[in-house]
Amino acid sequence: MSKEITGKAMLPDWVRKHLQEKTEVHVKGGRYYLYQYSYTYNRETKGHKKTSTLIGRITEDLGLVPKGSGVKVPRKKRACKSAVLPTISDNVEYGISYWMETRVKPMYYAKVKNHFGIYWQTIVGIAFCRLVYQSPVCDMQRHFTNSFMSQMLPDARMTDKFVADMLRFIGRNRELQVSFFREFLGCGHIVIFDGTLHENWSQKMYLPQYTKLKDGSFGNGVNVMWGFSVTGRMPAYVRCLPGNIKDVSAVVMCVREIGDAAEDLTSIFDKGFFSKKNIELLLKEHIHYVIPLRRSADVDYGVFKRHDCGRVLFRHESRNIMACRLEDMYGSRAYIYLDDELQYKERHDAQARLQEKLGKLAGKDGGKDKVEEGKPGKGTKKKFSNKPAQMDNDVIEESSVDPKGSTAEELWQDYYEKEKKFGTIVLLTDKDLDAEETYKAYKCRDRVEKMIDTLKTVLDADVAHMQDQDVFNGWMFCNHLALHWYYMLYNLLVDSNEIKHFSAQSVLTELGYHQIVKVNGEWTTIERTKKQQSILDKLGLEIKYPYK
């Protein structure tokens, strides 16, 4: 944008002396340009049209530099934004910084330093900003300087340009990431793998690919594979994949990448992974597994009616579970389980759906509220909900309870065929585990789903607008590190039995309210509420200064 100046009063003396008749000066970006102008009469519009012609540029040192003379005007050096160092405020966050310094530092700082060298403080600072403030790259420096972590990590450089370069460095060095993952995996660990899709429409990366999104629509997304260690109660692994590569084909590579740390590792899968080809692949790669069969599999679901089935009974989360050993399938041990509570709910859910369809066939509005005479449920007046039953992480598949058929006879026949499967699940494993151990290992699967939910809600990482593939990989690694610290606090609440009263997010919020101020040139902690002090007492944390 240019500003035109025709008068001499606003111009410096070294510019004003070059003005002559029918000349004017235009200012563009702080530079002065001399123009010659003239007017021509237009008979059609009966008006004058102004025409300007550039003569040259006026500089203080060289004077008038004519256009086309070939003389190069030296440019002034621009001030670098990163050269201006931010100053810490006199009133900053201190509670979470103190917790990081006293609890997180002994377990993590040395590991990060061993793998990432001199940049470890910046990496810790990035993960800290993601955990506490959910900061985008452009806001990390401001958030970091408003926390006492900027004093505890004096060598951390948090400018947006350096943070982007650091994320790119992390993303390009996959071996450094994997070596860090191995620090938290040991022999015999049970790891659950699951993937989540991050919608991204960048055309500068190959990771976003056209695929089916979580809401059922289609679009471009990045598939991020996560691993959760049940044994360590921590996130264990993360890997970014193209959106059109699903979890099934990626797990083998993930386990292979972990390498020696995956020795005797057991992976837990969901029903979507099961196929004969995948089982053979797992056995070939010597990957231990626990995987459920689909209910459409050819299994003897009437085994519990036989007296010689060798059934066992145990309790899991206040529920009675009956189990039987089946003949080996696909080179694996096979166990079938019966959950009475789940069976009851699935039966009534199926009957509700059956009543609705029979009512529509008969053309009666009351068909939803009563079962036909002579059929199961005769005499009951209870109204069944059409909402699928669900307890804990047991999700009832609609196809397993929804009767199919076009006539009443076909609907009843389909119902009887599905009834024997209600409340059952068949698990395969290649490890020497008994029925109870196999079942409890599989029931841990919801932990990785909760971890992904934490990633998207607590860390606000459900959307990433990265345009660089390496930066995206580094970004996910720093979120992984932030999740580590979140679960460290979460496990502390679980072990102290305080998870009933506080969530990990609420504790982080309360810790963030603990501030430190500078009074007469010295740092001192401010007053705290009874609630804040109560949390500190229950966690066994005493916030004080100095922190060393």
Side-chain angles (χ1 to χ4, degrees):
M1 182 177 181
S2 64
K3 181 179 180 182
E4 181 178 322
I5 302 176
T6 56
K8 298 181 179 181
M10 301 177 62
L11 299 175
D13 293 338
W14 53 272
V15 175
R16 194 183 309 149
K17 67 181 183 181
H18 293 284
L19 283 173
Q20 299 176 2
E21 186 179 358
K22 292 187 178 181
T23 60
E24 61 186 7
V25 174
H26 293 190
V27 182
K28 301 178 181 179
R31 302 184 182 95
Y32 297 92
Y33 297 90
L34 184 64
Y35 283 81
Q36 184 176 16
Y37 64 90
S38 61
Y39 292 95
T40 56
Y41 179 74
N42 191 324
R43 294 184 178 181
E44 295 180 359
T45 60
K46 296 182 180 182
H48 291 82
K49 180 180 179 182
K50 182 180 179 180
T51 304
S52 298
T53 304
L54 176 64
I55 299 174
R57 177 181 170 185
I58 302 174
T59 65
E60 186 174 6
D61 298 331
L62 302 178
L64 178 62
V65 180
K67 177 184 177 182
S69 63
V71 179
K72 292 185 178 181
V73 179
R75 294 184 177 183
K76 293 183 179 181
K77 293 184 178 181
R78 295 183 178 181
C80 182
K81 295 182 180 180
S82 59
V84 181
L85 296 178
T87 57
I88 187 171
S89 171
D90 290 341
N91 187 354
V92 297
E93 176 277 327
Y94 185 68
I96 303 178
S97 301
Y98 183 86
W99 175 72
M100 292 282 296
E101 185 71 17
T102 56
R103 299 296 179 88
V104 176
K105 178 180 178 179
M107 294 183 60
Y108 286 91
Y109 285 13
K111 290 182 175 65
V112 178
K113 185 177 181 179
N114 290 339
H115 295 288
F116 296 96
I118 60 175
Y119 303 115
W120 73 273
Q121 291 195 13
T122 300
I123 295 174
V124 171
I126 295 172
F128 172 81
C129 290
R130 290 297 303 151
L131 174 65
V132 181
Y133 304 106
Q134 297 78 54
S135 309
V137 173
C138 59
D139 290 338
M140 283 188 176
Q141 183 172 0
R142 175 171 60 88
H143 290 153
F144 191 70
T145 53
N146 287 333
S147 169
F148 204 77
M149 281 291 286
S150 57
Q151 298 293 299
M152 297 174 173
L153 301 174
D155 295 332
R157 297 174 58 186
M158 301 300 294
T159 61
D160 52 356
K161 184 178 185 305
F162 192 82
V163 168
D165 290 340
M166 181 53 56
L167 294 175
R168 188 176 293 106
F169 166 77
I170 298 171
R172 288 177 178 175
N173 291 272
R174 178 64 182 173
E175 285 295 328
L176 295 180
Q177 299 181 47
V178 175
S179 62
F180 182 82
F181 298 150
R182 291 172 181 168
E183 292 274 1
F184 301 91
L185 286 172
C187 181
H189 274 218
I190 297 177
V191 177
I192 309 169
F193 289 99
D194 199 4
T196 181
L197 206 63
H198 292 255
E199 189 171 354
N200 189 302
W201 291 85
S202 173
Q203 297 181 353
K204 298 180 180 180
M205 303 189 298
Y206 79 89
L207 288 176
Q209 296 292 332
Y210 192 73
T211 185
K212 188 175 182 179
L213 304 177
K214 293 295 183 181
D215 59 359
S217 62
F218 287 85
N220 283 14
V222 180
N223 186 25
V224 181
M225 176 68 70
W226 290 91
F228 185 88
S229 173
V230 177
T231 310
R233 300 188 297 172
M234 286 282 184
Y237 182 86
V238 62
R239 180 170 175 241
C240 300
L241 303 166
N244 54 3
I245 296 181
K246 297 304 180 183
D247 313 341
V248 173
S249 56
V251 172
V252 172
M253 179 58 67
C254 293
V255 176
R256 188 182 300 169
E257 188 177 39
I258 297 173
D260 296 337
E263 184 179 355
D264 201 32
L265 179 145
T266 303
S267 300
I268 313 296
F269 302 100
D270 59 12
K271 294 180 181 179
F273 187 85
F274 173 76
S275 70
K276 183 178 179 180
K277 180 180 178 181
N278 289 333
I279 295 294
E280 293 174 350
L281 181 61
L282 291 173
L283 293 173
K284 179 181 178 181
E285 295 290 336
H286 305 287
I287 299 175
H288 300 303
Y289 58 87
V290 175
I291 183 171
L293 288 179
R294 295 187 179 93
R295 285 191 176 173
S296 58
D298 185 14
V299 176
D300 181 13
Y301 286 96
V303 64
F304 292 106
K305 297 180 180 180
R306 300 201 303 265
H307 297 288
D308 58 345
C309 66
R311 65 175 65 87
V312 294
L313 189 65
F314 60 90
R315 290 182 66 81
H316 176 71
E317 296 182 355
S318 303
R319 296 165 68 172
N320 295 320
I321 309 296
M322 188 182 298
C324 285
R325 173 85 181 266
L326 301 175
E327 294 184 4
D328 290 355
M329 304 172 62
Y330 307 102
S332 311
R333 288 191 177 194
Y335 296 102
I336 185 171
Y337 302 87
L338 177 63
D339 184 339
D340 286 338
E341 292 187 31
L342 184 61
Q343 183 185 48
Y344 174 83
K345 289 183 174 293
E346 286 191 339
R347 178 182 292 113
H348 285 76
D349 192 27
Q351 289 179 358
R353 296 172 185 268
L354 178 63
Q355 292 167 22
E356 181 179 1
K357 292 192 173 184
L358 290 174
K360 290 181 179 180
L361 286 176
K364 299 177 181 179
D365 293 335
K368 296 182 180 180
D369 296 336
K370 67 176 184 178
V371 184
E372 289 185 6
E373 186 174 356
K375 303 299 181 182
K378 176 184 177 182
T380 181
K381 296 183 179 180
K382 181 177 179 180
K383 295 183 179 181
F384 303 118
S385 171
N386 290 331
K387 183 179 179 180
Q390 180 176 345
M391 287 191 67
D392 299 334
N393 60 343
D394 294 320
V395 180
I396 298 177
E397 300 178 29
E398 183 175 344
S399 60
S400 65
V401 296
D402 191 25
K404 305 293 183 182
S406 56
T407 65
E409 183 178 354
E410 291 177 353
L411 287 172
W412 279 111
Q413 183 178 357
D414 187 70
Y415 170 81
Y416 286 133
E417 291 178 356
K418 292 179 177 179
E419 185 182 23
K420 60 184 179 181
K421 302 179 182 180
F422 292 161
T424 62
I425 185 172
V426 179
L427 298 179
L428 300 182
T429 181
D430 68 324
K431 293 202 69 175
D432 187 17
L433 301 176
D434 59 28
E436 183 175 358
E437 292 172 335
T438 304
Y439 186 83
K440 291 184 176 180
Y442 174 73
K443 283 299 176 179
C444 293
R445 177 162 181 81
D446 66 329
R447 298 186 187 181
V448 69
E449 297 168 356
K450 292 178 180 177
M451 183 198 70
I452 292 175
D453 184 64
T454 301
L455 170 77
K456 295 185 176 182
T457 55
V458 177
L459 301 186
D460 196 22
D462 56 335
V463 177
H465 303 285
M466 306 297 176
Q467 300 293 316
D468 187 295
Q469 175 179 309
D470 295 326
V471 174
F472 186 88
N473 288 326
W475 176 258
M476 281 302 166
F477 176 82
C478 290
N479 283 316
H480 168 85
L481 189 57
L483 277 176
H484 259 263
W485 301 338
Y486 177 89
Y487 269 90
M488 185 177 178
L489 181 59
Y490 176 82
N491 292 334
L492 177 62
L493 292 172
V494 172
D495 294 340
S496 60
N497 204 28
E498 294 297 331
I499 196 66
K500 302 176 183 178
H501 308 99
F502 308 105
S503 66
Q505 181 62 23
S506 65
V507 172
L508 282 173
T509 302
E510 292 296 334
L511 286 176
Y513 291 152
H514 290 272
Q515 294 188 332
I516 189 171
V517 298
K518 187 174 286 188
V519 179
N520 297 326
E522 296 183 358
W523 291 106
T524 181
T525 56
I526 65 173
E527 306 84 353
R528 58 181 67 116
T529 65
K530 290 183 179 180
K531 179 181 180 181
Q532 293 170 349
Q533 187 60 48
S534 174
I535 293 177
L536 294 178
D537 294 340
K538 291 178 180 179
L539 295 179
L541 188 64
E542 181 183 359
I543 295 181
K544 57 185 179 180
Y545 184 85
Y547 53 87
K548 294 183 179 180

